[in-house]
Amino acid sequence: MGRYNALNIVWQALQGNQNWQRVWRDPQPKAHYDVIIIGGGGHGLATAYYLAKLHGITRVAVLEKGWLGGGNVGRNTTIVRSNYMLDGNAPFYEHGMNLWRSMAQDLNYNVMFSPRGVLNLAHNKAQYDEYARRGNAMRLNGIDAEILSRDEVLQREPILVTSAAERFPIFGGLLQPQAGNARHDAVAWGYARAADRLGVDLIQNCEVVDFIQQGEKVVGVTTNRGDIYADKVGMAVAGNTSRLTSKLGLHLPIESHVLQAFVTEPYKPVINGVVTYGGGGHFYISQSNKGGLVFGGDIDGYNSYAQRGNLPVFEDVITAGLSIMPSLSRVKLLRNWGGIMDMSMDGSPIIDTGPIDGLYLNTGWCYGGFKATPASGWCFAYTIANNQAHALNKAFTLDRFAKGYAIDEKGAGPYPKAH
Ligand SMILES: Cc1cc2nc3c(=O)[nH]c(=O)nc-3n(C[C@H](O)[C@H](O)[C@H](O)COP(=O)(O)OP(=O)(O)OC[C@H]3O[C@@H](n4cnc5c(N)ncnc54)[C@H](O)[C@@H]3O)c2cc1C
């Protein structure tokens, strides 16, 4: 399979674009693999890629019940950032930022990473102080952070001028200049193509319905396409985690909730970066390369495995958005959709071995697993290959909930729907 480059595009164009090859193979499942990854979302595909690339483990299958990228990785609002404060989180997400910066070259796939800045608005002195504390903690961890005055915020995002003196006056903000967006499904396709090129079998329409155990040890999975055995089985199924682990009698500190997102018709540029508003509601917005305003807010707040949400949260998100950007009241909404979030009890993820021999866990991404895609895949691959966590994910163990070492970035307590 040829590399993507400008010459190749010109060459293919001259041939009427008739000779492009399939981006990945469509293999039949083999009877046995070294590693099975359940879930062909961003995290599963990135894990398979790094297993092959960094650890030389290429007898790997990614089993996806639908199509690659049909889950949350293709449903999110594409915000990529590392503006974390706590020690367990900050180095992990910043490692992810470093991987984002070189991802397109590494995968030979344009993932459209766009470091246009993520700006958190502050609406009073207390919120401003909290952001200053976070920004200082970020800088101590080597993460880029700037505390902006009200004027600097309005200069950066003139659309906010209309709301600056109104119901929720803007006091200032916290900016991570190198954070931004990436094209979400390109990330899935890029990892898929690169993993396939290293020999990984990507098997779509293959639903795992149960685990095969020898004694206690997990030695394979039962799927709608037959039994498949493996030395190691890794799970990266996001909101379906609890449903699958219940087959093993394993109850994890995870709840599944719907998160909705919205996109408008395309408009000329009105928003320069990503803007988040946590004053009188919860709202985050950016403008896609095609011009659509992409935004979201809180989760629906009840447990669900449905990939669509309900109208009260729809109304809540729009209300929050218009209270901070009233000039958007006339934009036309094009679509909305939902994804199933794996909300953990402290808002932080789990990347761990066990607790059953042969099983490896990757879950608990809450609202924010898209930005974690490269770091999660990188750390999960390390954990699977070495049977132990890397220093970057050593805080993300399952037993932290038993030992009381929660990483509660938001300080919301043990309520998954509050993270
Ligand atoms: C509306 C919305 C907005 C979001 N916004 C952001 C954002 O701006 N920034 C950010 O960082 N994060 C965001 N997120 C969160 C982020 O998208 C997720 O945390 C992340 O994508 C989850 O990891 P994943 O990509 O591997 O999950 P998924 O893409 O959901 O992958 C899991 C895969 O497992 C498959 N699967 C499930 N059960 C089985 C089974 N039994 N057998 C085989 N396959 C199975 C599913 O079909 C799915 O394809 C958002 C999410 C949503 C829904």
Side-chain angles (χ1 to χ4, degrees):
M1 195 188 295
R3 276 182 67 79
Y4 288 161
N5 58 39
L7 279 179
N8 195 359
I9 291 172
V10 173
W11 174 243
Q12 296 287 352
L14 289 174
Q15 298 178 61
N17 284 318
Q18 297 300 308
N19 292 321
W20 289 108
Q21 293 173 8
R22 286 186 74 103
V23 176
W24 52 80
R25 295 164 297 127
D26 185 20
Q28 290 300 315
K30 298 187 180 87
H32 183 274
Y33 289 92
D34 291 346
V35 178
I36 284 174
I37 303 293
I38 313 172
H43 293 231
L45 293 165
T47 304
Y49 170 68
Y50 291 120
L51 273 171
K53 184 186 174 197
L54 301 180
H55 304 283
I57 303 174
T58 54
R59 286 179 46 82
V60 177
V62 176
L63 308 182
E64 166 54 49
K65 72 173 175 180
W67 65 95
L68 297 181
N72 292 336
V73 69
R75 293 166 180 270
N76 59 71
T77 42
T78 76
I79 303 169
V80 170
R81 59 187 173 87
S82 61
N83 52 359
Y84 281 79
M85 189 171 72
L86 299 182
D87 282 344
N89 281 328
F92 170 82
Y93 287 103
E94 185 57 8
H95 178 63
M97 290 305 296
N98 288 327
L99 294 171
W100 279 110
R101 289 179 193 113
S102 56
M103 190 185 289
Q105 289 75 18
D106 185 27
L107 301 181
N108 181 226
Y109 203 96
N110 186 3
V111 295
M112 301 186 197
F113 174 58
S114 166
R116 56 183 74 176
V118 170
L119 171 64
N120 309 123
L121 300 177
H123 298 277
N124 53 47
K125 182 79 171 74
Q127 207 179 13
Y128 192 69
D129 285 351
E130 191 201 317
Y131 281 146
R133 181 172 172 236
R134 176 177 296 271
N136 287 331
M138 286 166 64
R139 283 200 282 245
L140 286 172
N141 277 314
I143 302 171
D144 54 318
E146 287 175 22
I147 312 295
L148 302 191
S149 68
R150 170 192 159 94
D151 286 348
E152 286 168 328
V153 167
L154 300 183
Q155 215 170 17
R156 205 182 149 79
E157 298 290 354
I159 193 171
L160 293 167
V161 171
T162 47
S163 64
E166 304 199 1
R167 263 178 85 203
F168 299 106
I170 291 164
F171 201 91
L174 172 63
L175 175 72
Q176 185 181 6
Q178 292 179 42
N181 300 93
R183 169 81 198 184
H184 48 13
D185 31 28
V187 172
W189 300 332
Y191 272 118
R193 175 171 173 272
D196 175 86
R197 292 180 72 158
L198 294 173
V200 171
D201 281 358
L202 306 174
I203 302 171
Q204 303 183 75
N205 300 311
C206 184
E207 179 170 8
V208 173
V209 293
D210 209 345
F211 293 90
I212 305 170
Q213 288 179 272
Q214 236 166 42
E216 281 292 294
K217 187 176 177 352
V218 172
V219 293
V221 291
T222 301
T223 77
N224 58 347
R225 295 176 65 173
D227 289 352
I228 310 175
Y229 288 83
D231 298 342
K232 302 178 179 187
V233 176
M235 284 182 55
V237 294
N240 284 288
T241 302
S242 48
R243 206 141 64 163
L244 213 47
T245 56
S246 69
K247 304 285 181 191
L248 291 163
L250 189 61
H251 297 288
L252 297 179
I254 299 288
E255 282 186 11
S256 293
H257 288 260
V258 181
L259 178 63
Q260 301 190 54
F262 310 83
V263 65
T264 68
E265 288 183 341
Y267 293 97
K268 288 187 176 171
V270 285
I271 293 173
N272 296 318
V274 179
V275 180
T276 83
Y277 161 61
H282 188 196
F283 181 74
Y284 37 90
I285 187 165
S286 62
Q287 191 160 14
S288 78
N289 293 347
K290 284 190 286 188
L293 299 168
V294 182
F295 57 91
D298 277 325
I299 53 174
D300 272 31
Y302 50 83
N303 298 141
S304 174
Y305 293 101
Q307 291 194 122
R308 63 191 159 85
N310 265 320
L311 287 174
V313 170
F314 193 125
E315 193 176 2
D316 187 62
V317 173
I318 304 283
T319 309
L322 292 189
S323 63
I324 193 66
M325 294 181 182
S327 54
L328 297 185
S329 64
R330 310 274 294 275
V331 299
K332 289 191 177 141
L333 204 61
L334 196 62
R335 290 195 304 277
N336 80 307
W337 61 90
I340 318 166
M341 319 309 307
D342 38 339
M343 307 295 293
S344 69
M345 295 290 158
D346 61 355
S348 294
I350 299 163
I351 305 178
D352 203 0
T353 57
I356 298 172
D357 200 14
L359 184 73
Y360 299 78
L361 292 176
N362 179 316
T363 185
W365 295 102
C366 303
Y367 283 54
F370 176 63
K371 63 178 178 290
T373 304
S376 163
W378 196 96
C379 287
F380 199 33
Y382 181 98
T383 303
I384 293 171
N386 296 289
N387 282 318
Q388 62 178 20
H390 187 269
L392 288 166
N393 64 304
K394 72 175 190 312
F396 298 155
T397 54
L398 179 59
D399 70 358
R400 74 175 184 268
F401 297 99
K403 292 181 174 165
Y405 291 113
I407 314 167
D408 185 353
E409 186 83 27
K410 205 169 165 184
Y415 308 103
K417 69 176 186 304
H419 290 282

